[in-house]
Amino acid sequence: MPSLPMVANLPKGPHYGALAEFATPHELYVACEKVRDAGYTRWDAHTPFPVHGLDRAMGMRRSPMPFIVLGMALIGAAGGFALQYWVHSIEYPLTISGKPTFAWPAYVPITFELGILFGALGAVFGMFGLNQLPMHWHPLFNSSPFEKVTDDRFFISIESWDPKFDAERTRQFLQGLGSRRVELVASE
Amino acid sequence: MSHIPATTLRPEQVTLPARHLLARLPVIGLVLAIAGLGLGLSLRAANPRAFAFAWLNAYLFGLTLALGSMFFILIQHATQAGWSVAVRRIAEAVAGAMPIFAVLFLPVLFGMGDLFPWARPEAANEPLMKWKAPYLNTQFFLVRAAVYFVVWSGLAIYYARASRSQDQGGAGTAPSLSMRRFAPPAILLLAITQTFASIDWAMSLSPTWYSTVFGVYFFAGSFVGFFGLLALLVIPLERGPLHGIVTIEHLHDVGKHLFAFTCFWAYIGFCQFFLIWYGNIPEETAFYQARLHGGWRAVSALLAVGHFIVPFFYLMGRTVKRKPRLLAIGAVWVLLMHLLDIAWIVLPGSHPEGLRIGLLEIAAYLAVIGSFLAAVGWNLRRQALVPVGDPRLRESLAFEIS
């Protein structure tokens, strides 16, 4: 594993995969359900805007993000509390406002803020990690029709290392889903 | 990409069947209220002071739920919320119980001398209370209470009527527009009256004590309690007469509000405690002095754990909010904690040694909650359960959390 992937770890082959273009979110949605039901596992959908319910049409599992955020938040909160306890009660006890050295209510704001900070860091970097970001280049950029994915076109890409992938049969399958154009995208 | 139901709803499709549990609330509530009132009045002679505290305790529990529902309705209109239309009528039914709280306030008036030290003749000789007398005096107290009830009942009745006026069709979007335009000033009105009511009826139980965030704390408790009640009313409807109209998606959002406002309550509750604890000024610490020593210490700890930590972790996950049975457990728990929160505010006045829920307290709960539920049930029965003429109903029916 490279530390910062320029591109996802791709098995080398002549093709990155098959790319099918659709004109409307509805066509894409229906096609995604069929790709899911055909048993493909290494594939993705690309849209210019979020399409409601697409994750279900694609049969995606729930993201582990909530647990990453919760775990990080708890670590942050525990760390914040422990830091203050160590400073105020062990390493450098000072009497402040006549409070006991272990004055836990005074620790709560920092405990809370560090919980929030770590939770937020977990959310940002967890998202980066799960999406393999930053990724500066991707084989799909080899396709010039794909440029319209940020404008008004909808795409499904099936990767060539999907166990069910077969260049010819997958192309025909995608064409059968009503795609207006299917192409095989080069991997380099 | 969701299926939007093409057909529009008619009011008669969304009425409460006579055999439904919620349709029996008026009878059940009335029986409980009469039993509670009879028991309470028979016990009052022996200890009128304890009766006054028990009544105020139960009264504030019920009132805060009704106030929370009013706030909810106003926020939905002010923000033009789409998701909540399918459950808004239920909040309107809860808010519609507001006028009965003006009647239920009578025992508080009769017990003023027992409840509020400033209402006693000897208050004139107390240096601190003498300074507060221009605000804390019986006449002004009565005027303010009258203003609160006029504002609250007026808002509840106006919003319920305007919403109902759309049910038969024909009214168009005009009522929705005026409800929306009036919502922001109405929120201000409600916030100000509710804050002053919390000062009058809860904070002035110890008139030399003050906390500037008390009104917000009171609101936080009222809002979280209301979402507990809303969940408990919506769940039997989702599984019964409103199946397919009120969905798991709506329940999920109600659960999110329940979760969010337990956090808000804890945030405000801790802020209030923290600043007073840090400042350590005797006239501010008296409130916590009474609640962090003796029997109330355990109740304070239970509130911190039970009103925040337990629901925080219980309601955090997605599954609990989408399983009606699990959400109902959370809602009951939060409501019980709200009940404890009000008792923690009110009851140290009559039971400084610790929490004691005796016959008097139970009688007052039965009387207030019984009348409240009877009114809510009656409101649910006499109108459609969904504002079928609301222009955003379609959006609400199609609502999905992805």
Side-chain angles (χ1 to χ4, degrees):
Chain A
M1 280 267 276
S3 55
L4 276 178
M6 288 299 285
V7 72
N9 301 308
L10 307 176
K12 293 289 170 246
H15 300 304
Y16 166 76
L19 181 68
E21 181 183 326
F22 297 88
T24 68
H26 182 73
E27 286 173 31
L28 178 86
Y29 187 92
V30 175
C32 278
E33 290 178 322
K34 293 194 176 130
V35 176
R36 172 195 69 193
D37 295 341
Y40 286 98
T41 51
R42 301 294 320 233
W43 62 287
D44 208 347
H46 315 267
T47 62
F49 50 80
V51 175
H52 207 64
L54 197 62
D55 50 343
R56 251 168 295 159
M58 294 173 66
M60 287 175 77
R61 285 171 302 154
R62 288 198 53 75
S63 157
M65 275 302 289
F67 295 96
I68 296 175
V69 175
L70 176 64
M72 286 291 286
L74 290 178
I75 290 170
F81 195 88
L83 171 72
Q84 294 173 89
Y85 174 74
W86 177 72
V87 169
H88 291 300
S89 298
I90 298 172
E91 183 58 20
Y92 206 85
L94 270 181
T95 301
I96 301 167
S97 309
K99 300 283 189 285
T101 53
F102 178 62
W104 67 266
Y107 302 172
V108 169
I110 289 174
T111 303
F112 170 72
E113 295 299 348
L114 276 179
I116 300 289
L117 174 68
F118 273 58
L121 291 177
V124 172
F125 291 105
M127 183 275 290
F128 269 48
L130 292 176
N131 285 325
Q132 297 181 313
L133 294 174
M135 189 188 292
H136 304 299
W137 185 81
H138 194 277
L140 285 176
F141 298 163
N142 286 334
S143 156
S144 68
F146 190 66
E147 285 166 12
K148 292 205 118 188
V149 74
T150 58
D151 183 9
D152 61 351
R153 290 289 186 276
F154 304 83
F155 293 89
I156 288 176
S157 63
I158 299 181
E159 294 154 17
S160 61
W161 53 94
D162 186 301
K164 283 205 64 170
F165 184 86
D166 174 277
E168 199 40 47
R169 260 182 293 165
T170 300
R171 169 205 280 278
Q172 281 165 6
F173 169 69
L174 285 170
Q175 250 151 10
L177 298 182
S179 167
R180 47 166 60 184
R181 171 164 38 197
V182 180
E183 64 174 308
L184 290 171
V185 180
S187 55
E188 289 298 336
Chain B
M1 285 289 111
S2 48
H3 43 284
I4 296 172
T7 53
T8 48
L9 289 168
R10 282 176 322 233
E12 57 272 21
Q13 287 174 295
V14 286
T15 49
L16 197 58
R19 302 180 62 83
H20 195 269
L21 175 71
L22 292 180
R24 297 181 182 181
L25 271 185
V27 176
I28 299 171
L30 267 185
V31 169
L32 292 181
I34 290 167
L37 204 60
L39 182 62
L41 289 179
S42 68
L43 293 170
R44 181 176 185 268
N47 195 345
R49 187 163 185 275
F51 173 81
F53 272 94
W55 187 273
L56 180 67
N57 174 43
Y59 178 80
L60 288 183
F61 174 69
L63 177 75
T64 46
L65 301 179
L67 285 172
S69 70
M70 200 58 241
F71 230 100
F72 176 76
I73 295 166
L74 293 178
I75 289 174
Q76 305 317 306
H77 284 294
T79 58
Q80 291 200 72
W83 75 271
S84 59
V85 176
V87 299
R88 209 188 61 221
R89 183 54 60 78
I90 299 159
E92 286 164 10
V94 177
M98 198 60 92
I100 67 153
F101 282 98
V103 180
L104 293 174
F105 193 63
L106 288 177
V108 178
L109 290 184
F110 290 125
M112 271 180 74
D114 290 317
L115 290 167
F116 306 110
W118 54 262
R120 295 170 201 152
E122 60 265 29
N125 308 319
E126 284 273 336
L128 264 175
M129 278 192 250
K130 213 160 57 185
W131 280 103
K132 297 189 179 189
Y135 181 83
L136 288 179
N137 63 71
T138 307
Q139 290 82 5
F140 194 24
F141 179 89
L142 295 179
V143 170
R144 288 194 305 268
V147 171
Y148 305 152
F149 289 122
V150 168
V151 169
W152 297 341
S153 303
L155 286 178
I157 291 169
Y158 166 69
Y159 274 89
R161 283 228 178 115
S163 170
R164 218 180 312 136
S165 74
Q166 297 175 307
D167 279 6
Q168 298 302 334
T173 54
S176 285
L177 272 176
S178 40
M179 282 194 279
R180 189 185 88 211
R181 290 212 181 105
F182 186 49
I187 287 175
L188 270 181
L189 260 180
L190 183 59
I192 291 169
T193 48
Q194 186 172 340
T195 303
F196 277 96
S198 74
I199 292 170
D200 287 2
W201 302 343
M203 203 161 98
S204 84
L205 289 168
S206 21
T208 55
W209 176 74
Y210 66 91
S211 158
T212 45
V213 81
F214 193 79
V216 185
Y217 179 75
F218 194 77
F219 159 73
S222 94
F223 215 38
V224 76
F226 161 70
F227 282 113
L229 178 66
L230 182 65
L232 289 185
L233 291 174
V234 169
I235 287 167
L237 294 175
E238 186 271 331
R239 305 185 120 192
L242 293 187
H243 192 76
I245 296 167
V246 170
T247 63
I248 299 294
E249 309 294 329
H250 298 108
L251 275 186
H252 190 168
D253 254 23
V254 172
K256 284 191 214 164
H257 279 85
L258 191 62
F259 171 73
F261 282 94
T262 51
C263 299
F264 182 69
W265 174 90
Y267 189 91
I268 297 300
F270 182 77
C271 285
Q272 172 171 281
F273 166 72
F274 184 53
L275 293 189
I276 290 172
W277 171 85
Y278 222 130
N280 213 9
I281 300 167
E283 69 220 48
E284 290 181 356
T285 48
F287 183 83
Y288 288 102
Q289 177 75 14
R291 286 161 183 80
L292 289 175
H293 295 94
W296 287 101
R297 189 186 170 83
V299 180
S300 303
L302 178 59
L303 269 183
V305 175
H307 203 314
F308 172 56
I309 294 177
V310 171
F312 179 74
F313 285 103
Y314 182 77
L315 291 168
M316 182 186 275
R318 174 188 170 92
T319 319
V320 170
K321 284 174 282 210
R322 294 181 74 90
K323 295 257 189 266
R325 208 176 281 267
L326 295 179
L327 182 63
I329 293 171
V332 168
W333 176 265
V334 169
L335 268 176
L336 283 176
M337 284 299 133
H338 176 56
L339 186 132
L340 189 68
D341 183 29
I342 297 288
W344 180 81
I345 292 171
V346 174
L347 287 184
S350 61
H351 299 293
E353 71 290 345
L355 179 66
R356 221 190 96 254
I357 298 288
L359 266 184
L360 255 183
E361 283 77 15
I362 291 172
Y365 278 134
L366 288 180
V368 171
I369 299 172
S371 345
F372 178 43
L373 288 182
V376 172
W378 189 69
N379 285 334
L380 287 174
R381 277 179 69 153
R382 74 198 177 106
Q383 58 191 3
L385 292 168
V386 174
V388 290
D390 191 293
R392 286 163 304 183
L393 180 64
R394 236 170 103 89
E395 184 185 344
S396 184
L397 294 180
F399 173 64
E400 261 184 79
I401 299 163
S402 72

